[in-house]
Amino acid sequence: MPLAMNRDVFITCAVTGAGDTVSRSNHVPITPKQIADSAIDAAKAGAAVVHCHVRDPETGAASRRNDLYREVTDRIRSADVDVVLNLTAGMGGDLIFGNVEKPLPLNPKGTDMAGATERVSHVAECLPEICTLDCGTMNFNLGDYVMTNTPAMLRAMASKMTDLGVRPEIEAFDTGHLWFAKQLAEEGLIEDPVLIQLCMGIPWGAPDDLNTFMAMVNNVPQSWTFSAFSIGRNAMAYPAAAVLAGGNVRVGLEDNLFVGKGQLATNAELVEKAVQVVEGMGARIIGPDDVRKKLKLTKR
């Protein structure tokens, strides 16, 4: 695939995530109001899409509660700024084994396994324009945690999302995930235009070196739309890499807590920095209406 820079770029802000980042930065939003306010600030800074998880308002831990998603959705939709809403559907596939000598029974602390209907119940209730589909199983970071998404589960979830009229954003953490995404498209379980998020640098998926990144890019069909991000120290370098490779940009506190060395960031500051990078490359930032047209989204 020849290198073809994207000249019309949309930015996604991943607002809070599910990881244990609350203890590391006081800018990570926890309550529905904080999450919605941070998403709105990101939109005002230039994000066309906001990608939202929810957290337990008391503990800050990741949550799947529908009432929290409902409040975040309502607050964002009633804001004085327009933005495309993207809700995660990645929760409910967390498998933590006992230990290396006795993997069973599973460790109840952190294990959270739910069926396909339950995993998309908040999507059915809130009807965002986009929701994510983590397109595979992988060893995730440290210890005995496995992010679990079987082929049967993914087929069922993809079918439900499509039936709801919500555009799946395929989150691909390695080349095999892209392979399976093509299979879902071939089977008609996800429809054109297909949207892919290339998730780089997450242990132990695809590392974020440029050779691996371009291997991922080269496995994306040319008719599909992709974005890309990396976590941690390379997060703010990836907007340039993604645009140069023909893609779009994702930044946000789910992926990275810093806007510079030792400088804790807000979501709006990360978006502002990404805007500077993209426009400095000579590309144009597009807004939510252009994204809706490009991806054939249904605004609720």
Side-chain angles (χ1 to χ4, degrees), residues 134-163:
D134 297 342
C135 211
T137 295
M138 64 177 278
N139 294 331
F140 203 101
N141 205 356
L142 303 174
D144 296 298
Y145 170 45
V146 179
M147 181 181 75
T148 309
N149 297 286
T150 66
M153 178 67 76
L154 290 170
R155 284 187 169 95
M157 291 177 67
S159 177
K160 291 177 185 298
M161 293 168 184
T162 298
D163 288 346

Side-chain angles (χ1 to χ4, degrees), residues 125-208:
E125 179 175 338
C126 299
L127 292 177
E129 294 167 82
I130 301 171
C131 68
T132 58
L133 185 66
D134 297 342
C135 211
T137 295
M138 64 177 278
N139 294 331
F140 203 101
N141 205 356
L142 303 174
D144 296 298
Y145 170 45
V146 179
M147 181 181 75
T148 309
N149 297 286
T150 66
M153 178 67 76
L154 290 170
R155 284 187 169 95
M157 291 177 67
S159 177
K160 291 177 185 298
M161 293 168 184
T162 298
D163 288 346
L164 289 167
V166 177
R167 176 76 59 206
E169 179 190 63
I170 300 296
E171 292 208 337
F173 295 79
D174 218 334
T175 52
H177 299 179
L178 286 170
W179 186 6
F180 192 70
K182 295 175 190 176
Q183 183 64 31
L184 292 177
E186 186 175 321
E187 294 173 14
L189 295 174
I190 56 175
E191 299 175 341
D192 288 333
V194 177
L195 174 62
I196 291 281
Q197 186 71 249
L198 303 181
C199 310
M200 308 299 297
I202 293 92
W204 300 101
D208 61 6

Side-chain angles (χ1 to χ4, degrees), residues 70 79 132 151 165 215 281-282 296:
R70 179 79 265 168
T132 58
M281 296 175 70
K296 298 181 181 178

Side-chain angles (χ1 to χ4, degrees), residues 17-69:
D20 183 21
T21 52
V22 172
S23 62
R24 294 162 53 201
S25 172
N26 60 1
H27 295 305
V28 176
I30 298 172
T31 68
K33 183 179 186 305
Q34 290 170 347
I35 293 167
D37 285 349
S38 194
I40 292 163
D41 288 344
K44 290 178 178 178
V49 183
V50 288
H51 168 59
C52 297
H53 291 244
V54 294
R55 295 179 179 268
D56 185 306
E58 301 299 325
T59 67
S63 176
R64 290 192 289 109
R65 282 171 47 187
N66 283 19
D67 62 316
L68 300 178
Y69 279 110

Side-chain angles (χ1 to χ4, degrees), residues 8 25 58 89 98 116 120-121 123 127 147 151 185 193-194 211 239 248 250 254 266-267 293 298 300:
D8 296 295
S25 172
E58 301 299 325
V120 299
S121 62
V123 176
L127 292 177
M147 181 181 75
V194 177
N211 282 338
N248 299 282
R250 170 171 144 173
E254 177 174 355
T266 65
N267 279 305
K293 291 174 185 175
T298 302
R300 313 290 181 180

Side-chain angles (χ1 to χ4, degrees), residues 74-90:
D74 289 345
R75 286 180 178 276
I76 291 173
R77 285 180 174 159
S78 63
D80 60 353
V81 63
D82 188 24
V83 70
V84 173
L85 180 61
N86 174 345
L87 296 182
T88 185

